[in-house]
Amino acid sequence: GSPDYRDSGLVFPPGFTFGSATASYQVEGAAAEDGRGPSIWDTFSKTPGKVWNGDTGDIACDHYHRVESDLDLMKDLGLDAYRFSIAWPRIQPTGTGAVNQAGIDFYSRLVDGLLERGIKPVATLYHWDLPQPLEDAGGWPVRATADAFADYAAIMGAALGDRVHTWTTLNEPWCSAYLGYGQGGHAPGRHEPAAALAAVHHLNLAHGRALQALRATSTGAPEYSVTLNFHVLRGLGDAAAEATRRIDALANRAFTGPMLHGAYPADLLEDTASVTDWSFVQDGDLASIHQPIDVLGVNYYSTATVRMWDGVSPRQHNDGHKTTAGGTAWPGSDRAVEFVEQPGPYTAMGWNIAPEGLEELLLNISAEFPDQPLMITENGAAFDDTVATDGSVPDPERLDYLRRHFTAAHRAIGRGVDLRGYFVWSLLDNFEWGYGYAKRFGIVRVDFDTLERTVKDSGLWFRELATTGALPGPGNAQAPTRPEP
Ligand code: GBH
């Protein structure tokens, strides 16, 4: 029969990396301290109506001030690695020019604190907090932003490239381009389909140029990576295959094409011809983008179901608070694709729970890129947690979600996928973008009044997994064997 993905006892391969992840704007707070400049998320969150409840990242988890105790927490949870992002506006407050030493010092202390505790630092250069002055000059739709990003990458390579274990250029450029400039649910909140596609290209270019800059400046032996949020698609209707092909091109192959194959897919250029002529792609750009990476970061939360819009059925409207991908994320309005509600069960985000989608995704990526080691850089779930009278935080749904997705990953390894590690999103409850503090993804609860941290039951479960290398509970204790290279 089909698996329920609720195995226990399964042993992960030796050296498998168990980690957890956060992002700068979501956890740091201290938004106006030590020389940090404003980012597009400061501007967006302070624009009425953009973020639920008017929440901002001004304080967030106050991680900036609590970094020492948060490091102890990571150690206590048995993390092999910690994935964090660097706030560009802490390093270059205006996005170009002079370096703010206090910003470098903060991340340098973080990296040293991780290394002292035996935790590998996995640093992402860009998790969506673009310096506001760069947006004022045009943002990701303009080429100068990619140039600036390469300079920023060189600064970080020189500052931390002796100690960082893994460099990741971008987190989910799909979100930056389509949610930021097309659908508008993320900062900077623009609704310009052509600009969204220009942003896709300049993010790709920024990735490639940053890899070159990091390699030129890092004096240690870091690994290099990028994190993409792949869409695992189901199609509905007469033109199901057409709908999934179009979204696969826009969402997945628009990034993997140039980054890993060195070309934009022909069907993507055709599908979007009424929106843009792609003249922003200059000679040499594809060679710049097509840089080797050591590991490909994969973020996975759920599947998506799409169908060609027939012009009659109600479009799924996106209010920025219910879903992150709607029909409007597709820029070619002449042949719109709508995202369709899926069968449950759901997390508190309304996203369907589908661990089989993770196994399928890992198998598909590894079939397309057989020599590319993979890392799950995000997987996790929001649920409405409650605190028990004894102060503990029982979160059986999150624990079950994680157990089932780890089981799916284990099955993929057993079927030949070169999966090196798995980062749970997130270490802490945090600022969940357009949803503010209303949605909790942490394996550690944060009380946003007192900022106190409490390890949830899922965090205790994860500690056992990370420290033993096996899914907690009785089982067959069978480690998957990787095929010989
Ligand atoms: C990630 O983005 C981010 O990297 C992270 O910062 C964030 O906190 C975390 O996930 C949780 O949101 O609309 O039903 O089709 C995730 C981005 C993009 C997740 C699209 C789900 C589609 C679900 N996502 N997506 S649906």
Side-chain angles (χ1 to χ4, degrees), residues 23 26 127-128 171-172 174-175 179 229 231 299 301-304 323-325 339 342 349-351 378 425 430 432-433 441:
Q26 295 182 271
H127 199 129
W128 309 351
N171 176 72
E172 301 190 346
W174 178 88
C175 292
L179 300 184
N229 60 310
H231 282 48
N299 289 1
Y301 290 89
S302 67
T303 59
T323 64
T324 51
F339 283 72
Q342 308 188 81
M349 299 298 281
W351 301 345
E378 286 181 30
W425 185 270
N430 60 45
E432 178 48 32
W433 307 114
F441 276 88

PDB file of all heavy atoms in Angstrom, residues 23 26 127-128 171-172 174-175 179 229 231 299 301-304 323-325 339 342 349-351 378 425 430 432-433 441, ligand 1:
ATOM      1  N   ALA A  23      15.539  33.741   9.512  1.00  0.00           N
ATOM      2  CA  ALA A  23      15.967  34.799   8.588  1.00  0.00           C
ATOM      3  C   ALA A  23      16.035  36.119   9.344  1.00  0.00           C
ATOM      4  O   ALA A  23      15.268  36.337  10.290  1.00  0.00           O
ATOM      5  CB  ALA A  23      15.000  34.915   7.417  1.00  0.00           C
ATOM      6  N   GLN A  26      13.006  38.334  10.187  1.00  0.00           N
ATOM      7  CA  GLN A  26      11.986  37.603  10.927  1.00  0.00           C
ATOM      8  C   GLN A  26      12.317  37.425  12.403  1.00  0.00           C
ATOM      9  O   GLN A  26      11.410  37.186  13.201  1.00  0.00           O
ATOM     10  CB  GLN A  26      11.751  36.232  10.276  1.00  0.00           C
ATOM     11  CG  GLN A  26      11.175  36.357   8.865  1.00  0.00           C
ATOM     12  CD  GLN A  26      10.879  35.015   8.226  1.00  0.00           C
ATOM     13  OE1 GLN A  26      11.744  34.439   7.587  1.00  0.00           O
ATOM     14  NE2 GLN A  26       9.675  34.524   8.394  1.00  0.00           N
ATOM     15  N   HIS A 127      17.703  37.162   2.267  1.00  0.00           N
ATOM     16  CA  HIS A 127      16.394  36.590   2.588  1.00  0.00           C
ATOM     17  C   HIS A 127      15.404  37.751   2.675  1.00  0.00           C
ATOM     18  O   HIS A 127      14.791  37.991   3.702  1.00  0.00           O
ATOM     19  CB  HIS A 127      16.475  35.780   3.883  1.00  0.00           C
ATOM     20  CG  HIS A 127      15.355  34.793   4.094  1.00  0.00           C
ATOM     21  ND1 HIS A 127      15.563  33.466   4.403  1.00  0.00           N
ATOM     22  CD2 HIS A 127      14.002  34.936   4.035  1.00  0.00           C
ATOM     23  CE1 HIS A 127      14.394  32.846   4.538  1.00  0.00           C
ATOM     24  NE2 HIS A 127      13.428  33.720   4.322  1.00  0.00           N
ATOM     25  N   TRP A 128      15.379  38.533   1.579  1.00  0.00           N
ATOM     26  CA  TRP A 128      14.284  39.462   1.264  1.00  0.00           C
ATOM     27  C   TRP A 128      14.385  40.872   1.831  1.00  0.00           C
ATOM     28  O   TRP A 128      13.514  41.688   1.537  1.00  0.00           O
ATOM     29  CB  TRP A 128      12.919  38.869   1.646  1.00  0.00           C
ATOM     30  CG  TRP A 128      12.683  37.487   1.113  1.00  0.00           C
ATOM     31  CD1 TRP A 128      13.447  36.788   0.220  1.00  0.00           C
ATOM     32  CD2 TRP A 128      11.591  36.620   1.440  1.00  0.00           C
ATOM     33  NE1 TRP A 128      12.886  35.552  -0.026  1.00  0.00           N
ATOM     34  CE2 TRP A 128      11.745  35.421   0.717  1.00  0.00           C
ATOM     35  CE3 TRP A 128      10.475  36.756   2.281  1.00  0.00           C
ATOM     36  CZ2 TRP A 128      10.846  34.354   0.798  1.00  0.00           C
ATOM     37  CZ3 TRP A 128       9.588  35.704   2.366  1.00  0.00           C
ATOM     38  CH2 TRP A 128       9.770  34.506   1.634  1.00  0.00           C
ATOM     39  N   ASN A 171      17.600  33.308  -0.911  1.00  0.00           N
ATOM     40  CA  ASN A 171      16.516  32.457  -0.462  1.00  0.00           C
ATOM     41  C   ASN A 171      15.291  32.700  -1.333  1.00  0.00           C
ATOM     42  O   ASN A 171      14.782  33.827  -1.397  1.00  0.00           O
ATOM     43  CB  ASN A 171      16.136  32.769   0.987  1.00  0.00           C
ATOM     44  CG  ASN A 171      14.932  31.936   1.437  1.00  0.00           C
ATOM     45  OD1 ASN A 171      15.056  30.736   1.636  1.00  0.00           O
ATOM     46  ND2 ASN A 171      13.764  32.560   1.545  1.00  0.00           N
ATOM     47  N   GLU A 172      14.830  31.671  -2.032  1.00  0.00           N
ATOM     48  CA  GLU A 172      13.557  31.719  -2.749  1.00  0.00           C
ATOM     49  C   GLU A 172      13.394  32.961  -3.619  1.00  0.00           C
ATOM     50  O   GLU A 172      12.511  33.788  -3.377  1.00  0.00           O
ATOM     51  CB  GLU A 172      12.388  31.631  -1.760  1.00  0.00           C
ATOM     52  CG  GLU A 172      12.391  30.371  -0.929  1.00  0.00           C
ATOM     53  CD  GLU A 172      11.096  30.196  -0.120  1.00  0.00           C
ATOM     54  OE1 GLU A 172      10.326  31.170  -0.010  1.00  0.00           O
ATOM     55  OE2 GLU A 172      10.870  29.097   0.389  1.00  0.00           O
ATOM     56  N   TRP A 174      11.975  33.188  -6.247  1.00  0.00           N
ATOM     57  CA  TRP A 174      10.577  33.190  -6.726  1.00  0.00           C
ATOM     58  C   TRP A 174       9.743  34.186  -5.925  1.00  0.00           C
ATOM     59  O   TRP A 174       8.974  34.965  -6.483  1.00  0.00           O
ATOM     60  CB  TRP A 174       9.969  31.785  -6.607  1.00  0.00           C
ATOM     61  CG  TRP A 174       8.530  31.710  -7.040  1.00  0.00           C
ATOM     62  CD1 TRP A 174       8.069  31.474  -8.303  1.00  0.00           C
ATOM     63  CD2 TRP A 174       7.365  31.884  -6.220  1.00  0.00           C
ATOM     64  NE1 TRP A 174       6.686  31.487  -8.311  1.00  0.00           N
ATOM     65  CE2 TRP A 174       6.234  31.737  -7.050  1.00  0.00           C
ATOM     66  CE3 TRP A 174       7.171  32.166  -4.855  1.00  0.00           C
ATOM     67  CZ2 TRP A 174       4.919  31.847  -6.567  1.00  0.00           C
ATOM     68  CZ3 TRP A 174       5.868  32.282  -4.376  1.00  0.00           C
ATOM     69  CH2 TRP A 174       4.762  32.117  -5.223  1.00  0.00           C
ATOM     70  N   CYS A 175       9.881  34.129  -4.598  1.00  0.00           N
ATOM     71  CA  CYS A 175       9.101  35.035  -3.739  1.00  0.00           C
ATOM     72  C   CYS A 175       9.502  36.484  -3.986  1.00  0.00           C
ATOM     73  O   CYS A 175       8.642  37.368  -4.117  1.00  0.00           O
ATOM     74  CB  CYS A 175       9.304  34.692  -2.267  1.00  0.00           C
ATOM     75  SG  CYS A 175       8.603  33.108  -1.779  1.00  0.00           S
ATOM     76  N   LEU A 179       6.143  37.580  -5.759  1.00  0.00           N
ATOM     77  CA  LEU A 179       5.337  38.140  -4.675  1.00  0.00           C
ATOM     78  C   LEU A 179       5.689  39.609  -4.457  1.00  0.00           C
ATOM     79  O   LEU A 179       4.830  40.412  -4.109  1.00  0.00           O
ATOM     80  CB  LEU A 179       5.537  37.343  -3.377  1.00  0.00           C
ATOM     81  CG  LEU A 179       5.169  35.861  -3.444  1.00  0.00           C
ATOM     82  CD1 LEU A 179       5.328  35.197  -2.072  1.00  0.00           C
ATOM     83  CD2 LEU A 179       3.742  35.657  -3.971  1.00  0.00           C
ATOM     84  N   ASN A 229      12.484  27.640  -3.819  1.00  0.00           N
ATOM     85  CA  ASN A 229      11.227  27.007  -3.381  1.00  0.00           C
ATOM     86  C   ASN A 229      10.565  26.394  -4.605  1.00  0.00           C
ATOM     87  O   ASN A 229       9.944  27.073  -5.409  1.00  0.00           O
ATOM     88  CB  ASN A 229      10.290  28.004  -2.682  1.00  0.00           C
ATOM     89  CG  ASN A 229       9.878  29.183  -3.531  1.00  0.00           C
ATOM     90  OD1 ASN A 229      10.723  29.844  -4.128  1.00  0.00           O
ATOM     91  ND2 ASN A 229       8.588  29.447  -3.606  1.00  0.00           N
ATOM     92  N   HIS A 231       8.002  24.397  -6.865  1.00  0.00           N
ATOM     93  CA  HIS A 231       6.565  24.128  -6.873  1.00  0.00           C
ATOM     94  C   HIS A 231       6.341  22.680  -7.307  1.00  0.00           C
ATOM     95  O   HIS A 231       6.798  22.281  -8.380  1.00  0.00           O
ATOM     96  CB  HIS A 231       5.852  25.064  -7.855  1.00  0.00           C
ATOM     97  CG  HIS A 231       5.649  26.455  -7.317  1.00  0.00           C
ATOM     98  ND1 HIS A 231       6.636  27.179  -6.713  1.00  0.00           N
ATOM     99  CD2 HIS A 231       4.538  27.238  -7.290  1.00  0.00           C
ATOM    100  CE1 HIS A 231       6.145  28.360  -6.338  1.00  0.00           C
ATOM    101  NE2 HIS A 231       4.880  28.422  -6.677  1.00  0.00           N
ATOM    102  N   ASN A 299      13.479  24.210  -0.526  1.00  0.00           N
ATOM    103  CA  ASN A 299      12.452  24.510   0.477  1.00  0.00           C
ATOM    104  C   ASN A 299      11.149  23.873   0.038  1.00  0.00           C
ATOM    105  O   ASN A 299      10.737  24.019  -1.114  1.00  0.00           O
ATOM    106  CB  ASN A 299      12.235  26.026   0.606  1.00  0.00           C
ATOM    107  CG  ASN A 299      13.402  26.726   1.284  1.00  0.00           C
ATOM    108  OD1 ASN A 299      14.387  26.091   1.655  1.00  0.00           O
ATOM    109  ND2 ASN A 299      13.283  28.034   1.442  1.00  0.00           N
ATOM    110  N   TYR A 301       7.050  23.005   1.439  1.00  0.00           N
ATOM    111  CA  TYR A 301       5.981  23.060   2.436  1.00  0.00           C
ATOM    112  C   TYR A 301       4.751  22.257   2.028  1.00  0.00           C
ATOM    113  O   TYR A 301       4.141  21.599   2.852  1.00  0.00           O
ATOM    114  CB  TYR A 301       5.583  24.528   2.711  1.00  0.00           C
ATOM    115  CG  TYR A 301       6.658  25.270   3.454  1.00  0.00           C
ATOM    116  CD1 TYR A 301       7.679  25.940   2.772  1.00  0.00           C
ATOM    117  CD2 TYR A 301       6.701  25.268   4.846  1.00  0.00           C
ATOM    118  CE1 TYR A 301       8.696  26.600   3.461  1.00  0.00           C
ATOM    119  CE2 TYR A 301       7.702  25.923   5.546  1.00  0.00           C
ATOM    120  CZ  TYR A 301       8.701  26.581   4.848  1.00  0.00           C
ATOM    121  OH  TYR A 301       9.706  27.216   5.533  1.00  0.00           O
ATOM    122  N   SER A 302       4.372  22.373   0.733  1.00  0.00           N
ATOM    123  CA  SER A 302       3.146  21.695   0.294  1.00  0.00           C
ATOM    124  C   SER A 302       3.135  21.630  -1.227  1.00  0.00           C
ATOM    125  O   SER A 302       4.020  22.172  -1.886  1.00  0.00           O
ATOM    126  CB  SER A 302       1.906  22.456   0.774  1.00  0.00           C
ATOM    127  OG  SER A 302       1.828  23.712   0.130  1.00  0.00           O
ATOM    128  N   THR A 303       2.122  20.960  -1.762  1.00  0.00           N
ATOM    129  CA  THR A 303       1.947  20.924  -3.213  1.00  0.00           C
ATOM    130  C   THR A 303       1.067  22.094  -3.650  1.00  0.00           C
ATOM    131  O   THR A 303       0.517  22.814  -2.812  1.00  0.00           O
ATOM    132  CB  THR A 303       1.276  19.609  -3.637  1.00  0.00           C
ATOM    133  OG1 THR A 303       0.014  19.509  -2.973  1.00  0.00           O
ATOM    134  CG2 THR A 303       2.146  18.406  -3.287  1.00  0.00           C
ATOM    135  N   ALA A 304       0.937  22.293  -4.943  1.00  0.00           N
ATOM    136  CA  ALA A 304       0.019  23.314  -5.458  1.00  0.00           C
ATOM    137  C   ALA A 304      -0.764  22.713  -6.624  1.00  0.00           C
ATOM    138  O   ALA A 304      -0.224  21.917  -7.398  1.00  0.00           O
ATOM    139  CB  ALA A 304       0.790  24.543  -5.919  1.00  0.00           C
ATOM    140  N   THR A 323      -3.205  33.065   1.116  1.00  0.00           N
ATOM    141  CA  THR A 323      -2.287  32.238   0.350  1.00  0.00           C
ATOM    142  C   THR A 323      -1.173  33.139  -0.171  1.00  0.00           C
ATOM    143  O   THR A 323      -1.317  34.359  -0.211  1.00  0.00           O
ATOM    144  CB  THR A 323      -2.981  31.587  -0.864  1.00  0.00           C
ATOM    145  OG1 THR A 323      -3.394  32.615  -1.748  1.00  0.00           O
ATOM    146  CG2 THR A 323      -4.159  30.755  -0.443  1.00  0.00           C
ATOM    147  N   THR A 324      -0.086  32.538  -0.559  1.00  0.00           N
ATOM    148  CA  THR A 324       1.007  33.342  -1.086  1.00  0.00           C
ATOM    149  C   THR A 324       1.083  33.266  -2.596  1.00  0.00           C
ATOM    150  O   THR A 324       1.827  34.000  -3.206  1.00  0.00           O
ATOM    151  CB  THR A 324       2.350  32.900  -0.495  1.00  0.00           C
ATOM    152  OG1 THR A 324       2.468  31.495  -0.663  1.00  0.00           O
ATOM    153  CG2 THR A 324       2.441  33.259   0.965  1.00  0.00           C
ATOM    154  N   ALA A 325       0.372  32.348  -3.202  1.00  0.00           N
ATOM    155  CA  ALA A 325       0.420  32.238  -4.651  1.00  0.00           C
ATOM    156  C   ALA A 325      -1.001  32.229  -5.182  1.00  0.00           C
ATOM    157  O   ALA A 325      -1.781  31.354  -4.844  1.00  0.00           O
ATOM    158  CB  ALA A 325       1.156  30.968  -5.058  1.00  0.00           C
ATOM    159  N   PHE A 339      -4.577  29.171  -9.251  1.00  0.00           N
ATOM    160  CA  PHE A 339      -4.217  28.217  -8.201  1.00  0.00           C
ATOM    161  C   PHE A 339      -5.509  27.810  -7.504  1.00  0.00           C
ATOM    162  O   PHE A 339      -6.287  28.654  -7.093  1.00  0.00           O
ATOM    163  CB  PHE A 339      -3.245  28.859  -7.206  1.00  0.00           C
ATOM    164  CG  PHE A 339      -1.841  28.930  -7.745  1.00  0.00           C
ATOM    165  CD1 PHE A 339      -1.511  29.817  -8.762  1.00  0.00           C
ATOM    166  CD2 PHE A 339      -0.849  28.111  -7.238  1.00  0.00           C
ATOM    167  CE1 PHE A 339      -0.219  29.882  -9.260  1.00  0.00           C
ATOM    168  CE2 PHE A 339       0.445  28.166  -7.722  1.00  0.00           C
ATOM    169  CZ  PHE A 339       0.757  29.047  -8.741  1.00  0.00           C
ATOM    170  N   GLN A 342      -6.953  23.041  -2.501  1.00  0.00           N
ATOM    171  CA  GLN A 342      -6.637  21.619  -2.495  1.00  0.00           C
ATOM    172  C   GLN A 342      -7.304  20.924  -1.324  1.00  0.00           C
ATOM    173  O   GLN A 342      -7.643  21.557  -0.342  1.00  0.00           O
ATOM    174  CB  GLN A 342      -5.122  21.458  -2.375  1.00  0.00           C
ATOM    175  CG  GLN A 342      -4.383  22.269  -3.410  1.00  0.00           C
ATOM    176  CD  GLN A 342      -2.924  21.937  -3.390  1.00  0.00           C
ATOM    177  OE1 GLN A 342      -2.520  20.946  -3.964  1.00  0.00           O
ATOM    178  NE2 GLN A 342      -2.150  22.743  -2.707  1.00  0.00           N
ATOM    179  N   MET A 349      -1.582  27.757   7.957  1.00  0.00           N
ATOM    180  CA  MET A 349      -1.443  28.645   6.794  1.00  0.00           C
ATOM    181  C   MET A 349      -2.512  28.345   5.747  1.00  0.00           C
ATOM    182  O   MET A 349      -2.615  29.060   4.749  1.00  0.00           O
ATOM    183  CB  MET A 349      -0.069  28.485   6.134  1.00  0.00           C
ATOM    184  CG  MET A 349       1.110  28.820   7.027  1.00  0.00           C
ATOM    185  SD  MET A 349       1.137  30.529   7.574  1.00  0.00           S
ATOM    186  CE  MET A 349       1.790  31.352   6.128  1.00  0.00           C
ATOM    187  N   GLY A 350      -3.237  27.244   5.912  1.00  0.00           N
ATOM    188  CA  GLY A 350      -4.153  26.812   4.860  1.00  0.00           C
ATOM    189  C   GLY A 350      -3.443  26.003   3.787  1.00  0.00           C
ATOM    190  O   GLY A 350      -4.029  25.681   2.757  1.00  0.00           O
ATOM    191  N   TRP A 351      -2.179  25.664   4.025  1.00  0.00           N
ATOM    192  CA  TRP A 351      -1.415  24.858   3.059  1.00  0.00           C
ATOM    193  C   TRP A 351      -1.690  23.385   3.339  1.00  0.00           C
ATOM    194  O   TRP A 351      -1.691  22.946   4.498  1.00  0.00           O
ATOM    195  CB  TRP A 351       0.087  25.152   3.184  1.00  0.00           C
ATOM    196  CG  TRP A 351       0.451  26.590   2.943  1.00  0.00           C
ATOM    197  CD1 TRP A 351      -0.338  27.565   2.366  1.00  0.00           C
ATOM    198  CD2 TRP A 351       1.677  27.238   3.283  1.00  0.00           C
ATOM    199  NE1 TRP A 351       0.329  28.761   2.329  1.00  0.00           N
ATOM    200  CE2 TRP A 351       1.572  28.592   2.875  1.00  0.00           C
ATOM    201  CE3 TRP A 351       2.864  26.810   3.878  1.00  0.00           C
ATOM    202  CZ2 TRP A 351       2.611  29.512   3.064  1.00  0.00           C
ATOM    203  CZ3 TRP A 351       3.898  27.733   4.050  1.00  0.00           C
ATOM    204  CH2 TRP A 351       3.770  29.054   3.649  1.00  0.00           C
ATOM    205  N   GLU A 378      14.516  24.288   4.074  1.00  0.00           N
ATOM    206  CA  GLU A 378      13.348  24.635   4.881  1.00  0.00           C
ATOM    207  C   GLU A 378      12.259  23.597   4.698  1.00  0.00           C
ATOM    208  O   GLU A 378      11.930  23.210   3.575  1.00  0.00           O
ATOM    209  CB  GLU A 378      12.727  25.992   4.479  1.00  0.00           C
ATOM    210  CG  GLU A 378      13.500  27.188   4.909  1.00  0.00           C
ATOM    211  CD  GLU A 378      12.807  28.493   4.498  1.00  0.00           C
ATOM    212  OE1 GLU A 378      11.567  28.532   4.417  1.00  0.00           O
ATOM    213  OE2 GLU A 378      13.541  29.463   4.251  1.00  0.00           O
ATOM    214  N   TRP A 425      12.208  24.624   9.430  1.00  0.00           N
ATOM    215  CA  TRP A 425      11.718  25.993   9.564  1.00  0.00           C
ATOM    216  C   TRP A 425      10.601  25.982  10.581  1.00  0.00           C
ATOM    217  O   TRP A 425       9.594  25.356  10.338  1.00  0.00           O
ATOM    218  CB  TRP A 425      11.204  26.547   8.221  1.00  0.00           C
ATOM    219  CG  TRP A 425      10.824  27.978   8.398  1.00  0.00           C
ATOM    220  CD1 TRP A 425       9.605  28.487   8.764  1.00  0.00           C
ATOM    221  CD2 TRP A 425      11.704  29.114   8.281  1.00  0.00           C
ATOM    222  NE1 TRP A 425       9.666  29.852   8.894  1.00  0.00           N
ATOM    223  CE2 TRP A 425      10.939  30.252   8.603  1.00  0.00           C
ATOM    224  CE3 TRP A 425      13.063  29.257   7.960  1.00  0.00           C
ATOM    225  CZ2 TRP A 425      11.502  31.548   8.592  1.00  0.00           C
ATOM    226  CZ3 TRP A 425      13.613  30.537   7.952  1.00  0.00           C
ATOM    227  CH2 TRP A 425      12.825  31.657   8.261  1.00  0.00           C
ATOM    228  N   ASN A 430       8.294  33.441  14.755  1.00  0.00           N
ATOM    229  CA  ASN A 430       8.894  34.706  14.325  1.00  0.00           C
ATOM    230  C   ASN A 430       7.941  35.519  13.457  1.00  0.00           C
ATOM    231  O   ASN A 430       6.765  35.177  13.330  1.00  0.00           O
ATOM    232  CB  ASN A 430      10.232  34.439  13.619  1.00  0.00           C
ATOM    233  CG  ASN A 430      10.084  33.562  12.383  1.00  0.00           C
ATOM    234  OD1 ASN A 430       9.168  33.783  11.573  1.00  0.00           O
ATOM    235  ND2 ASN A 430      10.960  32.580  12.219  1.00  0.00           N
ATOM    236  N   GLU A 432       6.153  36.294  10.551  1.00  0.00           N
ATOM    237  CA  GLU A 432       5.824  35.494   9.383  1.00  0.00           C
ATOM    238  C   GLU A 432       5.314  36.402   8.253  1.00  0.00           C
ATOM    239  O   GLU A 432       4.181  36.308   7.800  1.00  0.00           O
ATOM    240  CB  GLU A 432       4.822  34.397   9.757  1.00  0.00           C
ATOM    241  CG  GLU A 432       4.330  33.495   8.637  1.00  0.00           C
ATOM    242  CD  GLU A 432       5.408  32.917   7.715  1.00  0.00           C
ATOM    243  OE1 GLU A 432       6.538  32.668   8.157  1.00  0.00           O
ATOM    244  OE2 GLU A 432       5.089  32.737   6.526  1.00  0.00           O
ATOM    245  N   TRP A 433       6.169  37.332   7.829  1.00  0.00           N
ATOM    246  CA  TRP A 433       5.911  38.190   6.666  1.00  0.00           C
ATOM    247  C   TRP A 433       4.507  38.804   6.717  1.00  0.00           C
ATOM    248  O   TRP A 433       4.179  39.419   7.720  1.00  0.00           O
ATOM    249  CB  TRP A 433       6.205  37.416   5.380  1.00  0.00           C
ATOM    250  CG  TRP A 433       7.595  36.812   5.397  1.00  0.00           C
ATOM    251  CD1 TRP A 433       7.914  35.477   5.424  1.00  0.00           C
ATOM    252  CD2 TRP A 433       8.864  37.514   5.453  1.00  0.00           C
ATOM    253  NE1 TRP A 433       9.286  35.312   5.460  1.00  0.00           N
ATOM    254  CE2 TRP A 433       9.890  36.537   5.491  1.00  0.00           C
ATOM    255  CE3 TRP A 433       9.232  38.870   5.480  1.00  0.00           C
ATOM    256  CZ2 TRP A 433      11.247  36.870   5.544  1.00  0.00           C
ATOM    257  CZ3 TRP A 433      10.582  39.212   5.528  1.00  0.00           C
ATOM    258  CH2 TRP A 433      11.555  38.218   5.560  1.00  0.00           C
ATOM    259  N   PHE A 441       5.693  29.089  13.351  1.00  0.00           N
ATOM    260  CA  PHE A 441       6.403  27.972  12.720  1.00  0.00           C
ATOM    261  C   PHE A 441       7.476  27.368  13.626  1.00  0.00           C
ATOM    262  O   PHE A 441       8.141  26.407  13.232  1.00  0.00           O
ATOM    263  CB  PHE A 441       7.090  28.445  11.433  1.00  0.00           C
ATOM    264  CG  PHE A 441       6.225  28.483  10.193  1.00  0.00           C
ATOM    265  CD1 PHE A 441       5.481  29.601   9.871  1.00  0.00           C
ATOM    266  CD2 PHE A 441       6.171  27.387   9.326  1.00  0.00           C
ATOM    267  CE1 PHE A 441       4.695  29.644   8.716  1.00  0.00           C
ATOM    268  CE2 PHE A 441       5.398  27.408   8.177  1.00  0.00           C
ATOM    269  CZ  PHE A 441       4.653  28.543   7.862  1.00  0.00           C
TER     270      PHE A 441
HETATM  271  C1  GBH B   1       9.363  30.419   3.201  1.00  0.00           C
HETATM  272  O1  GBH B   1       8.616  30.843   2.163  1.00  0.00           O
HETATM  273  C2  GBH B   1      10.300  31.495   3.618  1.00  0.00           C
HETATM  274  O2  GBH B   1      11.612  31.282   3.141  1.00  0.00           O
HETATM  275  C3  GBH B   1      10.300  31.772   5.085  1.00  0.00           C
HETATM  276  O3  GBH B   1      10.913  33.002   5.344  1.00  0.00           O
HETATM  277  C4  GBH B   1       8.897  31.712   5.610  1.00  0.00           C
HETATM  278  O4  GBH B   1       8.793  32.129   6.936  1.00  0.00           O
HETATM  279  C5  GBH B   1       8.416  30.316   5.449  1.00  0.00           C
HETATM  280  O5  GBH B   1       8.574  29.849   4.160  1.00  0.00           O
HETATM  281  C6  GBH B   1       6.977  30.094   5.876  1.00  0.00           C
HETATM  282  O6  GBH B   1       6.110  30.826   5.070  1.00  0.00           O
HETATM  283  O7  GBH B   1      -0.400  29.412  -1.735  1.00  0.00           O
HETATM  284  O8  GBH B   1      -1.106  27.231  -1.029  1.00  0.00           O
HETATM  285  O9  GBH B   1      -0.077  27.518  -3.175  1.00  0.00           O
HETATM  286  C7  GBH B   1       7.609  29.968   1.753  1.00  0.00           C
HETATM  287  C8  GBH B   1       6.986  30.432   0.487  1.00  0.00           C
HETATM  288  C9  GBH B   1       5.641  30.056  -1.325  1.00  0.00           C
HETATM  289  C10 GBH B   1       5.276  28.698   0.650  1.00  0.00           C
HETATM  290  C11 GBH B   1       4.428  29.550  -1.912  1.00  0.00           C
HETATM  291  C12 GBH B   1       3.988  28.225   0.084  1.00  0.00           C
HETATM  292  C13 GBH B   1       2.497  28.302  -1.838  1.00  0.00           C
HETATM  293  C14 GBH B   1       1.401  27.714  -1.027  1.00  0.00           C
HETATM  294  N1  GBH B   1       5.898  29.741  -0.001  1.00  0.00           N
HETATM  295  N2  GBH B   1       3.697  28.635  -1.190  1.00  0.00           N
HETATM  296  S1  GBH B   1      -0.144  28.002  -1.785  1.00  0.00           S
END
